[in-house]
Amino acid sequence: MRTIGAALCVALLVLAPSRGARAQVEARRVSLDEALRAAHRASPDLIIARARESVAHSEVSVAGVYPNPSVAGGTSTQAARFSGTLSLPLVILGQRGAAIDAARADEATVALDTQVTWNDIRRTTELAFVALWLAERVETARRDSATIQATIEAAVAQRVQVGSAPELEALRVHAEKVRADADVLGATAAVTAAGSELGRWMGITDGAGLRASADPPVPDAVPSLDAMLARLDSSAPVRREMSDVHASEARADRERALVRPYMSLDRSEERRVGKECRSRW
């Protein structure tokens, strides 16, 4: 019996975290509103979506840039000593407007895509907060169960000492106590994992110490199916798909405009030895 008990104690020492590891994890209480504000401010996925939105906004300015003029020059010993040509492209057949419209349509689609990303992040953050809150309650229940098992083990040990209970009963109760302690370790690890998951959406590098400061809010009434269906067309995912269709049509108009002929204003000059400069438009 002593050998088995010693082996179980060694197993608990191996599984139990050290005091240094416990000290490194400092509990930080956060509410659901605080978690959502942090996610809206520093969520990695939302930061990427906002960066894409900034790029799409810059593309609008790029699409409205006029083509650069071209300059060519040369010299010759057989004809003109010096010749030069200046060519200024004239975008006057709708190519620039079609490019700007396509870029603006893409920008609107990316902006709606950011809203869809925020909706997903908000939902995931709420689920992660609820999972953390539930894991904390499970850990508390496991600790209470372990305390009860410790009390039972102590009572049975006293009965074994006075001879009113067999030693096998003490071994059984001790095994249940070890299992309860293992459940506590598992529940504590689940709380740490849930805190890390919530911290990932909040933009926190190490969220192992996050803890729920209050119960998650519960709505007083659930909206009806008809009310939700009536708002379906105004939801961000639907508007994003409709905007994508409009952007596709704008890109098609831009491609059709690109096949239109380009016009340019050219000026050339030639200078011969002993003669005046001659210019042509």
Side-chain angles (χ1 to χ4, degrees):
M1 174 179 171
R2 292 180 179 178
T3 304
I4 298 176
L8 292 174
C9 291
V10 172
L12 283 177
L13 290 175
V14 173
L15 292 175
S18 62
R19 292 183 178 180
R22 291 174 181 172
Q24 293 178 358
V25 179
E26 297 181 358
R28 174 188 170 186
R29 296 286 176 179
V30 294
S31 63
L32 179 58
D33 292 338
E34 293 173 347
L36 291 176
R37 285 196 297 269
H40 189 269
R41 181 181 63 256
S43 176
D45 293 349
L46 198 57
I47 291 176
I48 294 174
R50 288 169 180 161
R52 291 175 178 172
E53 192 172 351
S54 299
V55 172
H57 180 71
S58 300
E59 290 292 337
V60 177
S61 301
V62 173
V65 174
Y66 284 96
N68 293 325
S70 60
V71 178
T75 60
S76 174
T77 58
Q78 301 297 326
R81 178 60 61 87
F82 171 80
S83 62
T85 302
L86 173 64
S87 178
L88 180 63
L90 300 178
V91 186
I92 58 176
L93 297 181
Q95 296 94 334
R96 178 174 177 271
I100 293 176
D101 292 340
R104 287 176 177 172
D106 289 335
E107 181 186 13
T109 301
V110 173
L112 290 173
D113 197 14
T114 302
Q115 295 183 16
V116 173
T117 302
W118 164 238
N119 289 344
D120 295 339
I121 292 174
R122 180 178 58 188
R123 177 182 58 84
T124 308
T125 303
E126 291 175 348
L127 293 177
F129 182 86
V130 173
L132 175 61
W133 173 82
L134 182 59
E136 290 184 53
R137 298 305 181 272
V138 172
E139 181 189 18
T140 301
R142 293 287 187 266
R143 292 188 181 278
D144 294 342
S145 177
T147 302
I148 295 173
Q149 289 295 334
T151 303
I152 294 175
E153 183 184 18
V156 172
Q158 293 178 359
R159 293 179 59 190
V160 171
Q161 290 177 359
V162 299
S164 61
E167 294 185 359
L168 184 61
E169 182 69 15
L171 181 61
R172 182 187 64 81
V173 174
H174 183 69
E176 293 180 354
K177 171 64 169 57
V178 172
R179 184 176 62 183
D181 291 340
D183 291 340
V184 172
L185 293 177
T188 302
V191 171
T192 303
S196 299
E197 178 66 15
L198 179 60
R200 182 170 72 91
W201 296 106
M202 293 173 59
I204 299 176
T205 304
D206 185 9
L210 291 177
R211 299 295 182 268
S213 62
D215 296 343
V218 179
D220 297 332
V222 179
S224 62
L225 180 60
D226 294 337
M228 291 188 291
L229 290 177
R231 300 176 56 184
L232 184 61
D233 292 338
S234 61
S235 62
V238 175
R239 289 189 292 120
R240 195 267 179 202
E241 296 301 325
M242 298 300 296
S243 179
D244 195 12
V245 172
H246 175 68
S248 299
E249 295 175 352
R251 288 192 295 268
D253 293 339
R254 180 191 61 191
E255 295 299 324
R256 284 191 290 267
L258 290 177
V259 301
R260 299 169 186 169
Y262 278 89
M263 301 180 65
S264 63
L265 181 62
D266 298 334
R267 175 182 174 84
S268 62
E269 292 188 1
E270 294 181 355
R271 182 181 295 274
R272 298 176 180 270
V273 178
K275 296 182 179 181
E276 296 182 354
C277 179
R278 185 172 57 183
S279 301
R280 291 196 303 269
W281 289 92

